[in-house]
Amino acid sequence: MKFFIYSRKSVYTGKGESIENQMEMCRQYIFSKFPDHTNADITVYEDEGFSAKNTARPQFQQMLRDMKTQKPDYVVCYRLDRISRSVSDFSSLIEDLNEREISFVCIKEEFDTAKPMGKAMMYIASVFAQLERETIAERVRDNMLMLARTGRWLGGTTPTGYASEKVREIIVDGRVKTACKLKDNPDELRAVDMMFEKYLELRSIAGVSKLLIKKGVTSRTGKYYSLLGVKEILQNPVYCIADQDALAYFRAQNADVCFDEGTCSDKLGLLAYNKRDYKKKHAPRQPMEKWIVAIGKHRGRVSGAKWAAVQSILSDNIPDGKKPAKMHNDYSLLSGMIICAQCGSRMFAKQRSGKGANTELYDYICSNKLRGGTALCSCQNLNGRQTDDLVCEYLMCYTDVGSDVYKLLEKLKRDVTEQVQKNPMDAVQERIAKCNAELDHLVRHLSQENVSGALASRINARAAALEGELAALRDEQARLQNENSRTTDRALEIDLLTGALSSLKTYFPQLSIHEKRTLVKLLVQRIVWDGGDLHIFLYGG
């Protein structure tokens, strides 16, 4: 019999339910329950340092792959939660094992899915395992929120303008715990003050960013503040003073406010918790109604009225679909598709403005240059209409009969035709017919009287071999039929593409700017502007 043993431990340790102990107990279980298989084929999979919150563990995934090629009789583990604490992950694993007729044994709980009661109890235990995990997570969250209401800094990357500082040690149940607060970083706070002041004046994140770059103001990493970085700072309530205006603002947003009129301060800043949903990918910001807002131990920088005014401007500047984004306007073809060779950033379309400017004209400008002027990139701008016309003219050359694209399509068509001609389906069908004919012949021999036992045995052996060969031939026949169908579809696609290419030049001028942009993206891999020449790289070119 063949056995797979799986063992897992979240943290490396040689004590208790270590990887080694789990494996040894599983081996002893196999030898005690299957005494006739002391020479059983046992394969061990070990994951150390991985939690059971999901199944993204290297050895567990390797075991799943091996089950498809080396079907075991049993998968054995020490305890149920070694596999997973998620009901959905566990149930999908059990369903997969059942389909493959593989039994699952959990020695601690003494579950065996080869038996109906064992299978039922396994599902029940997995539900409680997940319940335990969610209860622990909820308890940890509640404790964090309780601490948050005290205004402590709970750790993590400190906001721009502050550093973390230990303020006192608290003895809790004989354990020493350190409380932290934020302390000022004067150099960074000067940049924060400038951002709030200039944003209220300019009402533009890009304008604030350009001013910071012009003045040479950089972040703690030594890089210029990005547009997103500036916005994050402007949205962070850590800089907001915990005054009456701040209290009114957050109450109006239905946030969980942990202070009132009597505890408001004209000096201390705020701390907001539960701002992001870390259960989701990229941890998106949550609406303010889910925030917990408390007074911190640090000094605030911006009055509640000014902070609220900044949030109002930010909200008004959120795209509402009426203004097209830079990459998706309705006048330029290549916005966001051209790469600046000088700095590697994308180039975007910008309509000409100013007194006497023609708003129908536009230029492609490097995004770094747009953000910070020539201090970030001095690449020359591109005339938008001329560039679009040039690229379209270049692409239309490839629609002419005899172009490289047509030659490529003709070569693909010849390759497909050769594949059809080389199709060995006829040979497979001929062999199937011969096997069936031979089987019929053997059956007639067996039906005759006075067939000796030795001859009957040989006939049966040959018939079994032919049945095995027929099964393999039918699999090959099905594979060839699928392959032939795909080849036919591919030939049809090439014919359709050739026909569409031949009529493209005629219909291209009638397409909308969005349809043209889609077509360009299908043909063009990238476009690079080096300040003097425009380089167009096509797919397959």
Side-chain angles (χ1 to χ4, degrees):
M1 297 182 73
K2 189 173 184 62
F3 296 86
F4 282 1
I5 294 178
Y6 179 76
S7 56
R8 179 194 66 79
K9 195 167 182 67
S10 298
V11 182
Y12 174 78
T13 173
K15 300 179 181 179
E17 299 168 1
S18 68
I19 292 287
E20 293 77 11
N21 291 344
Q22 291 178 44
M23 287 191 301
E24 183 57 33
M25 285 185 283
C26 288
R27 289 180 185 277
Q28 291 177 5
Y29 179 88
I30 292 171
F31 296 145
S32 64
K33 295 293 183 180
F34 303 94
D36 295 335
H37 299 278
T38 53
N39 295 322
D41 183 359
I42 299 176
T43 305
V44 176
Y45 300 87
E46 308 171 11
D47 276 319
E48 189 141 17
F50 293 89
S51 74
K53 64 180 181 181
N54 56 49
T55 58
R57 291 165 253 145
Q59 283 297 294
F60 185 82
Q61 293 299 322
Q62 183 61 52
M63 181 179 71
L64 296 183
R65 289 191 292 269
D66 289 349
M67 277 194 285
K68 297 176 182 178
T69 57
Q70 315 168 32
K71 177 180 174 295
D73 296 286
Y74 283 86
V75 172
V76 183
C77 76
Y78 168 66
R79 207 170 65 195
L80 188 63
D81 62 2
R82 300 301 90 191
I83 295 292
S84 176
R85 291 194 178 99
S86 166
V87 173
S88 59
D89 288 341
F90 183 78
S91 60
S92 61
L93 171 66
I94 295 302
E95 290 299 330
D96 189 31
L97 293 176
N98 288 341
E99 288 178 6
R100 300 178 186 279
E101 297 182 345
I102 302 172
S103 297
F104 179 78
V105 173
C106 187
I107 64 175
K108 185 71 174 178
E109 290 88 355
E110 296 186 356
F111 295 152
D112 184 348
T113 60
K115 303 171 184 177
M117 183 57 69
K119 186 185 298 183
M121 292 303 296
M122 192 83 73
Y123 279 118
I124 293 171
S126 69
V127 171
F128 281 101
Q130 179 169 343
L131 177 62
E132 179 188 15
R133 177 170 173 261
E134 292 177 353
T135 301
I136 292 171
E138 188 68 23
R139 191 182 305 128
V140 170
R141 180 180 178 276
D142 289 344
N143 289 337
M144 290 289 285
L145 296 183
M146 182 185 68
L147 290 172
R149 292 175 185 276
T150 66
R152 299 178 191 174
W153 174 249
L154 301 183
T157 303
T158 55
T160 299
Y162 297 101
S164 180
E165 176 184 41
K166 296 179 182 179
V167 289
R168 65 183 183 276
E169 293 185 338
I170 306 171
I171 308 299
V172 180
D173 297 332
R175 293 177 296 174
V176 178
K177 290 193 175 183
T178 304
C180 296
K181 77 167 190 175
L182 297 176
K183 67 175 182 178
D184 291 358
N185 181 327
D187 291 338
E188 291 183 359
L189 283 175
R190 280 192 288 271
V192 171
D193 293 341
M194 187 185 302
M195 290 181 202
F196 277 94
E197 178 185 350
K198 291 302 178 182
Y199 185 73
L200 285 170
E201 175 187 334
L202 302 172
R203 305 173 72 89
S204 166
I205 292 177
V208 173
S209 174
K210 193 173 292 187
L211 180 67
L212 293 172
I213 292 169
K214 185 177 180 180
K215 291 182 175 294
V217 179
T218 59
S219 67
R220 64 180 61 166
T221 62
K223 297 180 180 179
Y224 290 114
Y225 288 97
S226 66
L227 297 179
L228 182 60
V230 173
K231 185 178 181 181
E232 288 283 346
I233 289 172
L234 294 175
Q235 289 181 314
N236 197 334
V238 74
Y239 309 106
C240 180
I241 295 173
D243 55 19
Q244 298 281 351
D245 292 319
L247 176 64
Y249 176 83
F250 283 106
R251 279 181 173 175
Q253 303 300 320
N254 295 317
D256 185 355
V257 183
C258 302
F259 62 100
D260 54 27
E261 290 82 354
T263 55
C264 284
S265 170
D266 60 355
K267 293 181 180 179
L268 296 177
L270 296 173
L271 286 177
Y273 308 90
N274 203 37
K275 289 193 298 180
R276 294 186 177 276
D277 187 354
Y278 290 99
K279 295 179 182 178
K280 296 181 180 178
K281 189 176 182 180
H282 305 307
R285 288 175 71 91
Q286 301 206 92
M288 285 191 188
E289 61 191 40
K290 294 189 177 182
W291 290 14
I292 297 172
V293 183
I295 299 178
K297 310 294 183 183
H298 64 286
R299 293 182 64 85
R301 306 299 298 185
V302 183
S303 70
K306 283 188 176 181
W307 195 85
V310 167
Q311 308 316 303
S312 178
I313 299 171
L314 287 169
S315 178
D316 290 342
N317 287 342
I318 294 175
D320 56 5
K322 296 177 181 178
K323 297 179 181 179
K326 287 188 294 184
M327 285 185 66
H328 304 289
N329 54 61
D330 56 1
Y331 59 86
S332 70
L333 178 66
L334 305 171
S335 187
M337 297 173 63
I338 304 173
I339 304 297
C340 171
Q342 185 168 320
C343 68
S345 61
R346 295 181 181 273
M347 301 181 71
F348 296 100
K350 187 177 187 298
Q351 289 177 309
R352 295 181 185 177
S353 58
K355 190 176 181 179
N358 184 349
T359 55
E360 293 184 358
L361 299 179
Y362 55 93
D363 298 293
Y364 290 118
I365 307 176
C366 169
S367 58
N368 272 340
K369 189 176 181 180
L370 277 171
R371 186 163 69 91
T374 55
L376 284 188
C377 185
S378 59
C379 183
Q380 184 177 344
N381 299 345
L382 270 168
N383 183 294
R385 288 199 178 279
Q386 290 181 3
T387 304
D388 288 353
D389 292 343
L390 176 66
V391 170
C392 288
E393 183 180 345
Y394 178 78
L395 292 178
M396 288 304 101
C397 292
Y398 283 83
T399 66
D400 296 332
V401 176
S403 68
D404 290 343
V405 174
Y406 268 96
K407 292 177 182 177
L408 176 61
L409 290 173
E410 289 298 326
K411 181 179 181 302
L412 290 173
K413 196 169 184 178
R414 287 196 300 271
D415 292 344
V416 170
T417 303
E418 289 178 6
Q419 288 178 18
V420 173
Q421 292 173 348
K422 293 178 181 178
N423 193 339
M425 179 67 79
D426 292 341
V428 172
Q429 291 176 336
E430 182 181 349
R431 184 57 192 154
I432 289 175
K434 287 183 177 179
C435 286
N436 283 324
E438 188 175 350
L439 275 172
D440 291 341
H441 181 68
L442 292 175
V443 169
R444 285 195 296 272
H445 269 291
L446 279 174
S447 63
Q448 294 176 0
E449 297 180 1
N450 301 323
V451 176
S452 67
L455 180 58
S457 176
R458 292 180 62 185
I459 291 175
N460 284 329
R462 178 56 182 160
L466 286 171
E467 288 289 355
E469 185 177 353
L470 272 173
L473 287 169
R474 291 190 185 101
D475 289 342
E476 179 67 6
Q477 185 181 38
R479 187 188 69 79
L480 290 173
Q481 285 173 342
N482 290 334
E483 189 174 290
N484 188 47
S485 177
R486 287 195 298 268
T487 303
T488 304
D489 290 343
R490 193 179 182 199
L492 180 59
E493 288 173 1
I494 294 172
D495 286 337
L496 290 172
L497 185 56
T498 304
L501 202 61
S502 63
S503 59
L504 180 60
K505 182 177 287 188
T506 303
Y507 290 106
F508 187 80
Q510 301 174 22
L511 299 178
S512 69
I513 189 69
H514 303 288
E515 291 169 334
K516 290 179 181 178
R517 189 180 293 137
T518 301
L519 182 62
V520 171
K521 288 180 179 179
L522 288 173
L523 297 174
V524 177
Q525 186 176 25
R526 70 183 187 281
I527 304 173
V528 179
W529 168 243
D530 62 10
D533 296 310
L534 192 69
H535 305 273
I536 303 173
F537 299 87
L538 301 180
Y539 284 104

